[in-house]
Amino acid sequence: MESFLKHLNVFSLVLFFFALPISSALQVGFYSSSCPNTENIVRQVVQQRFNADKSVAPALLRMFFHDCFIRGCDASILIDSTTTNQAEKAAGANGSVREYALIDQIKTALEQACPQKVSCADIIALATRDAVSLSGGPMYSVPTGRLDGTISRASEVNLPGPASTVSQIQQAFSARKMTLNDMVILVGGGHSIGRAHCNFFQDRVFNFQGTSKPDPTMDKNLLTKLQNLCSLTFNPATFLDQNTTVVLDNEVYNQMKKNKGILQIDQELALDPLSASIVSSLAANNKLFRQSFVNSMIKMGNLPGTGGEIRKNCRRQN
Ligand code: HEM
Ligand SMILES: *[C@@H]1O[C@H](CO)[C@@H](O)[C@H](O)[C@H]1NC(C)=O
Ligand SMILES: CC(=O)N[C@H]1CO[C@H](CO)[C@@H](O)[C@@H]1O
């Protein structure tokens, strides 16, 4: 710490200490006096949508991840592109982040209850918590008090792809001060609900790494199923967890161990010596998984934004 500080000039020293309270200001129940009904309103809208369509849950979880990994959890993912700015949601890695309209719906309800009090970044975090518990995952308290960012650039979206190695994904997490454990828990937990489209894994079933053959590690029944599925031309999707498809639990790690990972990265988690033993521990213990998932979700939710404001409309800066 001392030697670190020595190398900072006064300006960055001021920034450094100024930055600390912003990230540590998050607290459970942040809106309890400024907008006491916040968490109920969010939950009501998410619950209603979930009753009609369970796939809203994975959509929110993925949105939260994509938001927090670029510029921290600051709702930069929600900003629409303009004629002069390609926003994050236009980037290639966006790959079908969806349910922006649901966030708008929650925002509208909150603006009616308490105008310009609740940030869009907190809406994503709270809605995701509700989505997790509605999907059979753990219930947890979400620290709130995030501010919305004013910058959203497609060119800053540097998310790893599904064919990245475990070590590359680990680096993407450690660059954000998260551990290998956090990584295995969040990627596996995230991929225990929801679906992937063929374009993200069809190389594994038809032409793995240019061999003109399938990925030899894939379970043969799964391979046949996916070859049939991905021969259809409309880019269909399949569940990331082929067994407990819509339940947020540790079964996905058992599927990985049975060579039934859909994305290459999911299969690699079980095969790579870096992560294999973590996968095994989580596969064997759903209680451990649930507790760890909560901890890592809160950690990811603490990634500090550079934000500045509480947007009136989640799709654009004030
Ligand atoms: C960093 C490594 C990761 C990679 C390479 C990755 C990649 C992908 C890909 C390619 C898809 C399929 C998208 C589609 O076809 O529409 C997907 C889906 C999904 N991912 Fe990840 N992901 C990663 C980490 C995470 C994390 C950390 C979470 C959340 C904690 C997460 C949550 C999800 C969810 C919920 C879906 C399903 C979305 C839906 O059904 O709408 N992913 N991911
Ligand atoms: C599906 O999951 C259940 C509960 O985790 C497990 O008992 C069962 O063995 C799994 N079945 C398959 C085919 O993987
Ligand atoms: C919703 C959205 O903006 N999708 C875009 C994701 O990225 C691809 C490739 O860059 C675009 O073609 C999509 O329009």
Side-chain angles (χ1 to χ4, degrees), residues 243-244 251 255 258 260:
N243 184 358
T244 56
E251 175 58 22
Q255 297 294 302
K258 291 175 180 167
K260 292 181 186 171

Side-chain angles (χ1 to χ4, degrees), residues 25-41:
L26 297 190
Q27 61 185 82
V28 172
F30 181 83
Y31 297 109
S32 56
S33 55
S34 62
C35 189
N37 234 345
T38 298
E39 302 203 13
N40 293 331
I41 291 171

